[in-house]
């Protein structure tokens, strides 16, 4: 892969709206991605392996629990800093951002929000430092968009819970030390349980042959009569709203992350178009390529504004699920469209691993599907504006 020459587009001077802390956090993440992710990521994506050596660096830039208080090992930052970190990481690779999203929003967030003080103290510092890695088990073979139908269940055995079932498409599963697992009790009520690697009957087979998110490890979580200690249940929230609350946080992060992938594609295409000469002039001087590039920067700027405003609302505790859905849906579609256009600007070179665009394009096919599909987010907006849910 070529040297990383990335220069971030900021057409509407959004940096002027960021605090000194935001800029410091963002620039540290940007430099780390240039130094530690860009040089290796293509190789790891090609061989379909998560680069475990970057876990320490992810922890150091505050990517594990950016908004979790410092007393639990988190970075104690605001929601805009969290978004900026996700943007910079996904500028490098969506799969690496996935690992950070899962660890922060889907593992640390529920332990912090729904867990006991003992659980917070036991798990959060180790997750923040990357000593332990987590996964989040909601999706099942028969229940993806509709997790309320989940079949994974646990039974109260007096001194422990007995967990049975299976989760599919789980990021980080093959190497996770713990999993936050959503399961129904005998009354059919959903609760979160912390399952630890090493518990008898708990296995995590890897899912192979993905064409997308190849630098992220995906797998299953299988529970065959797993004895889960009673102190491992998350007691402070039950029902589908508990996992959906975690998704709000992760989807918010993705709405920023997708901008990073789009910025990288745009920046690569712009540089290439200025240098590539055909018919005696740079292709950037042709109207057709300018149309592509001008539309890309317009869409990126709109997405940046949306994410920034959503970040302000999040900081005030006012962002709604529907607002987050709109931003996730819009920004991921924006990024995938830009990746497709940018790939064409590079002609044949666009399909090679010399450039990041094709990898981003393939990654974004997962991003547009996970954390609620493109369709589901449209339906969430539809339900919000009409008051008439059309899921069924
Ligand atoms: P619905 O009737 O709407 O809601 C059920 C209960 O939950 C409450 N609720 C929420 N609570 C907190 N936060 C939210 N965001 C909430 N949304 C809903 C709601 O008030 C209700 O409470 P109660 O007390 O009345 O029971 O539920 P539904 O079954 O109709 O489903 C709605 C729907 C389709 C929107 C939801 O199921 C959904 O979002 N489906 C998509 C599934 C999904 O996104 N899965 C993601 C899996 S994790 C993942 O993909 C990780 S990828 C790795 C990475 O991040 O990088
Ligand atoms: P389905 O729900 O079967 O949907 C299939 C199609 O039907 C989609 O186009 C969908 O939009 C459409 N559809 C569904 N319902 C409706 C409807 N009511 N109206 C109209 N159209 C509809 N899950 C986790 O729990 N943890 C993870 O860490 C995790 N990581 C993932 C990593 C990767 C790489 C991928 C690909 C997925 C991951 N997921 C994870 C799962 C992800 O959240 C699901 O794939 C997603 O929610 C969609 O579920 P599904 O794949 O079962 O598709």
């Amino acid at each position: 892969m070529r040297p990383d020459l990335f220069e971030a587009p900021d057409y509407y001077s959004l940096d002027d709206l960021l605090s000194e802390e935001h800029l410091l956090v963002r620039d540290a993440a940007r430099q780390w991605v240039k130094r530690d992710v860009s040089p290796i990521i293509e190789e790891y994506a090609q061989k379909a392996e998560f680069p475990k050596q970057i876990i320490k660096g992810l922890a150091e830039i505050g990517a594990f629990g950016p908004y979790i208080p410092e007393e639990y090992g988190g970075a104690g930052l605001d929601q805009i800093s969290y978004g900026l970190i996700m943007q910079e990481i996904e500028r490098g690779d969506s799969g690496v951002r996935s690992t950070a999203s899962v660890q922060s929003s889907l593992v640390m967030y529920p332990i912090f929000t729904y867990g006991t003080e003992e659980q917070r103290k036991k798990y959060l510092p180790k997750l923040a430092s990357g000593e332990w890695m987590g996964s989040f088990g909601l999706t099942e073979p028969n229940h993806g968009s509709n997790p309320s139908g989940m079949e994974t269940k646990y039974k109260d055995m007096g001194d422990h819970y007995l967990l049975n079932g299976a989760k599919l498409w789980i990021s980080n599963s093959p190497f996770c030390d713990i999993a936050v697992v959503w399961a129904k009790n005998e009354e059919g009520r959903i609760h979160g349980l912390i399952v630890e690697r090493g518990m008898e009957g708990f296995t995590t087979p890897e899912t192979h042959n993905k064409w997308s998110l190849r630098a992220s490890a995906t797998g299953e979580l299988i529970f065959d009569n797993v004895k889960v200690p009673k102190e491992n249940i998350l007691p402070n929230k039950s029902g589908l709203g508990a996992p959906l609350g975690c998704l709000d946080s992760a989807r918010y992060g993705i709405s920023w992350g997708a901008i990073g992938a789009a910025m990288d594609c745009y920046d690569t295409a712009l540089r290439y178009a200025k240098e590539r000469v055909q018919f005696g002039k740079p292709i950037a001087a042709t109207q057709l390529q300018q149309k592509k590039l001008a539309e890309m920067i317009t869409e990126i700027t709109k997405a940046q504004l949306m994410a920034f405003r959503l970040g302000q609302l999040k900081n005030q505790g006012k962002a709604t699920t529907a607002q987050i859905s709109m931003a996730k849906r819009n920004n991921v579609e924006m990024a995938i469209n830009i990746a497709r256009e940018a790939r064409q600007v590079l002609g044949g070179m666009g399909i090679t691993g010399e450039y990041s665009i094709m990898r981003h394009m393939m990654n974004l096919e997962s991003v547009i599907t996970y954390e609620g599909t493109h369709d589901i987010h449209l339906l969430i907006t539809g339900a919000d504006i009409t008051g008439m849910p059309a899921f069924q």
Side-chain angles (χ1 to χ4, degrees), residues 85-101:
I85 293 172
M86 296 300 116
Q87 171 188 286
E88 294 306 316
I89 298 175
E90 191 146 2
R91 207 279 296 173
D93 190 82
S94 304
V96 178
R97 197 268 308 133
S98 266
T99 290
S101 290

Side-chain angles (χ1 to χ4, degrees), residues 5 270-277 282-284:
L5 302 172
L270 179 63
R271 187 169 298 108
Y272 188 90
K274 285 180 181 169
E275 288 170 2
R276 177 69 175 167
V277 174
I283 59 169

